[in-house]
Amino acid sequence: MRGPDVSTSAKLANAISAQFTARARWTPLEVAFWLVAAATIWVLPEHHLILTEIVIWALLALSLDLILGYAGIISLGHAAFFGVGAYTAGLLAKHALVTEPVLGLLVAGLAGGLFGFVTSFLVLRGTDLTRLMVTLGVALLVREVANRAAWLTGGADGLQGISMEPVLGLFRFDLYGHTAYVYSLIVLFVLFVIARRVVGSPFGLALQAIKGNPLRASAVGIGQTWRLVGIYTMAAAYAGIAGALLTQTTAFTSLESLSFDRSADALLVLIIGGTGHLYGGLIGAVVFRFAQDWIAAATPQYWQFWIGLFLVLIVLVGRERIGGWFAPLRRLADRLSDWRAWRGSSRRAAPVPDEGGRS
């Protein structure tokens, strides 16, 4: 009598496993996106400086998307973690404590993550408006501390005298930004893959459930506090690495890395690209930085007006309507993913024999 139960459980387990496997697979559009990004190394060598800046913005927006798009934590102080990572990497290199860029990047990420872990208990105590004010207050406080500690941070003059060693002892940073761009793009890709695995895991699905309905999530036994602390710490570490990349690729950092404008622009990038699908921050960074560059070249006095007008159009027209232009491509990618999931589940759902040896 237990045979059908075992068979049903096995089929259900196989179906769930197939769904998670399908979510982990890369769609053709994703592969094409990263192939285009890699091709810019050879196709656009004269634009590597601005492309490096775009990659850093994309990583900062990606870190913000982890807490806003997947956990529903809105923040106006994300620059605090960016600045902590930037100053950590700069101070380590300036005082010859850690001169290897990759190792300095890891230390800066740990510093940003540790600061995020400590402040997470303040941020997660309130509701959206409270979190907004707490994150903004933390960022302003960190900036003022950095400004007062001019003997350490350089104050308004910035942290100067930073000298970076070659990446892995082999690739020296050049004046045209070729090494910096390749280095930054590889870091972005590695961190994106990690983030993609996290948000597609049961941990990421639990975060989305908490964002959608916290009360229902608690009712079905999904613990909230430590999951939110975990993703907040991870996002802070990502932002710290983004700040460290800026310091390493420019050999300079200043109070601007801790400014409110940095946090607001990161949120702006995410608004342009969209939240909750990781690629929003990447696409938004490309659109925002190139639009800023082109508009500033055409009308230097009014470039902020045109950026603001673009945001108003997004609100009025709606991202859903704009995204509808690409709906056929998305539907094709979804059908391919569903077909792969069905094919995988049909292969795995083999009949399980019962206790009598019958299938």
Side-chain angles (χ1 to χ4, degrees), residues 21-233:
T21 302
R23 289 174 63 92
R25 288 196 182 100
W26 293 74
T27 65
L29 289 179
E30 289 182 288
V31 175
F33 177 89
W34 288 106
L35 287 178
V36 170
T40 58
I41 297 175
W42 298 278
V43 176
L44 300 174
E46 68 278 6
H47 296 292
H48 280 178
L49 291 175
I50 189 173
L51 289 174
T52 302
E53 188 176 347
I54 289 174
V55 168
I56 294 172
W57 274 114
L59 183 55
L60 179 61
L62 173 64
S63 69
L64 183 59
D65 195 22
L66 288 175
I67 60 174
L68 179 58
Y70 289 91
I73 304 173
I74 188 168
S75 172
L76 277 178
H78 216 56
F81 312 121
F82 185 89
V84 167
Y87 275 102
T88 299
L91 290 171
L92 290 175
K94 180 179 180 179
H95 298 288
L97 298 176
V98 178
T99 57
E100 206 287 312
V102 176
L103 183 57
L105 206 67
L106 295 176
V107 176
L110 289 175
L114 179 61
F115 186 65
F117 176 77
V118 172
T119 57
S120 65
F121 298 98
L122 297 175
V123 174
L124 301 178
R125 289 177 64 89
T127 57
D128 290 341
L129 183 59
T130 305
R131 292 172 178 175
L132 201 67
M133 293 297 100
V134 170
T135 54
L136 178 59
V138 169
L140 294 176
L141 180 62
V142 172
R143 186 186 186 280
E144 186 58 27
V145 169
N147 186 35
R148 294 286 183 178
W151 58 272
L152 179 65
T153 63
D157 295 329
L159 187 63
Q160 304 177 24
I162 300 174
S163 178
M164 300 306 305
E165 297 293 327
V167 179
L168 300 176
L170 301 173
F171 308 100
R172 186 173 298 277
F173 289 101
D174 58 279
L175 184 63
Y176 302 100
H178 301 319
T179 301
Y181 177 56
V182 176
Y183 171 55
S184 301
L185 187 62
I186 291 174
V187 171
L188 174 64
F189 178 73
V190 171
L191 294 181
F192 180 88
V193 171
I194 296 174
R196 189 178 182 275
R197 295 288 294 179
V198 169
V199 300
S201 66
F203 174 79
L205 297 180
L207 287 175
Q208 296 179 53
I210 294 171
K211 176 191 175 184
N213 194 321
L215 294 178
R216 181 176 296 177
S218 298
V220 298
I222 298 177
Q224 299 186 28
T225 301
W226 288 109
R227 283 183 170 86
L228 294 178
V229 168
I231 196 64
Y232 195 83
T233 302

